Amino acid sequence: MSTDSRHIQLMDTTLRDGEQTQGVSFTPVEKVSIAKALLQSLRVDRIEVASARVSQGEKEAVTSINEWAKQEGFAGRVEVLGFVDHTRSVDWILETGGEVINLLIKGSEKHCRVQLGKTLAQHTEDVLQTVSYALEKGLKVNVYLEDWSNGYHDDPDYVYGLMDNLQNAGISHFMLPDTLGVLSPDEVFSSFSDMCKRYPKLQFDFHPHNDYGLATANVMAAVRAGVNAIHCTINCLGERAGNASMAEVAVVLRDKMNMQLSIDESHIVRISAMVENFSGKRIAANAPIVGADVFTQTAGIHADGDQKGGLYKTKLGPERFSRTRSYALGKMSGKASLKKNLEMLELDLSEENQKKVLARIVSLGDSKQTITTDDLPFIIADVLESKSYQHIKLLNCSITSGLDLESTASLRIKVMGTTHVASGSGNGGFDAFVDAINKVMTQHNYTLPALADFEVRIPKGGHTSALTECVITWNCDGELRKTRAVHSNQVFAAVLAALKIINIQLHELGLSQV
């Protein structure tokens, strides 16, 4: 870890560069909401919110952001990308109440010559004309050296010449982008070290892209070389493979480089979710810091280590980000995983009952079902109420339903050692199953009792993938009896509950088991 602790500015460009993600276009209201969250809650140092002259809707959004920023004391921290067009970009920004222009200039000789058809001297003259006008109008001016990474590699003398021409022009930040994400950490360190030594009085920003998956590593290299400002986006939004992740950069700079930051990382996950919803771009469940699964231990041995001494916990704890650690339940679960979840629910089970519940969890996990802590009470209730009666055993069952079509059920079942095949139909899948099972059970002088009540539940706050609990109340010759069962499919939860009442009643009749 570095001991050279200093403050690093984080500039968020989700609303400008992040909006260049394929398929992403924030509405004005969404832009304002994200801007407020970034400055007021996450407390980033600066935000870049738009490109000048894009649209009327963009202009309205930037105006609203600037008005709010001035009222809340964030004036001067809202930036807009502008172009070398003398007055047009500057005037557009002024009309929105903006105070900062990030001027896009050509950072490579090839871009200057091929795209503009101009020499370095001609481009410099145009840049200085726009810079002069912006300063005259009271704007703060930063400049992006577009394609700087390739420009520095292909023709460093062009880059030096451009910097020499602009270094005394009143520019606040020289922002050096790896526009196409081509640099490695070694290349970043070498090039930025050179730039910082050649121009020690200038303020450099690094604007990385993630095409090689090296954005965060490249940020570390740039900071080691002396850079004091880094550009990021929420959820890595950006063109192609995206920009550097704000969440990753923040924790790496703090934990691995001992740098000081302004941001309040407890809001990172909430703002990540906001951007995810507004952008429509879903983040991976294993995305560092913000992913749904990154603070979940799956292996039982990890839960055991945490239970005995926090052996699998690190400085990167969920509490920093207003999250909690969880222990997954499934086929890899062990006793410690179950105990951790029972502690969270404040439940206490005997060792014998824990074994039964764990066996059921592993069985459900083998069928690839996702099991959450919210599912656990359903599983416990189901297991503790279950008897080991095996008078009837379902071997196979297929149930089909369709809109405005009668449902059908086909089943293969073993009753007291005899295998039966039957089919049934009805008004819904469970009704079709009851029709089929009664055709079998009448051969054994048994009919399912009538339903007195039927209840299907999922855990509070559960997802569509949650386990389903079905509780059926049966009218058994005037006596009300309940059975319950748990399954990911609500129809099959009802089927299993029905099999329980059959097993119970056959047992009471003293019949032989399967």
Side-chain angles (χ1 to χ4, degrees), residues 337-488:
S337 299
L338 176 57
K339 284 183 178 179
K340 283 289 188 181
N341 281 277
L342 291 173
E343 287 173 6
M344 290 176 62
L345 295 171
E346 298 183 349
L347 295 175
D348 187 25
L349 294 180
S350 67
E351 286 292 327
E352 180 182 356
N353 285 333
Q354 284 186 42
K355 289 179 181 178
K356 292 179 181 178
V357 171
L358 185 59
R360 181 66 187 278
I361 289 170
V362 172
S363 175
L364 288 167
D366 273 335
S367 64
K368 300 187 182 295
Q369 294 184 29
T370 300
I371 303 163
T372 68
T373 303
D374 292 328
D375 294 322
L376 191 53
F378 287 4
I379 297 173
I380 292 172
D382 183 34
V383 169
L384 297 188
E385 289 184 2
S386 296
K387 306 296 182 182
S388 57
Y389 308 145
Q390 291 292 315
H391 303 290
I392 182 170
K393 184 175 183 180
L394 186 65
L395 303 177
N396 189 266
C397 182
S398 173
I399 297 175
T400 60
S401 297
L403 182 64
D404 296 329
L405 294 174
E406 192 174 47
S407 297
T408 61
S410 300
L411 57 87
R412 189 162 59 92
I413 196 163
K414 184 179 285 189
V415 182
M416 293 176 290
T418 302
T419 300
H420 300 268
V421 175
S423 62
S425 60
N427 184 22
F430 182 62
D431 189 39
F433 168 79
V434 170
D435 182 45
I437 197 70
N438 276 333
K439 289 177 180 177
V440 172
M441 296 310 300
T442 53
Q443 301 175 45
H444 297 273
N445 300 315
Y446 175 90
T447 302
L448 267 171
L451 271 65
D453 194 19
F454 184 99
E455 182 182 4
V456 174
R457 301 187 302 167
I458 64 170
K460 290 182 179 180
H463 302 286
T464 54
S465 61
L467 290 178
T468 302
E469 179 188 56
C470 181
V471 180
I472 301 179
T473 304
W474 307 91
N475 186 348
C476 302
D477 296 327
E479 178 188 0
L480 297 182
R481 307 179 72 168
K482 288 186 179 183
T483 58
R484 82 175 71 210
V486 173
H487 197 276
S488 58

Side-chain angles (χ1 to χ4, degrees), residues 6-25:
R6 63 186 194 276
H7 185 268
I8 303 296
Q9 280 192 358
L10 293 182
M11 192 269 263
D12 185 277
T13 183
T14 301
L15 297 176
R16 198 279 299 173
D17 215 6
E19 203 172 29
Q20 292 179 200
T21 308
Q22 171 65 27
V24 173
S25 179

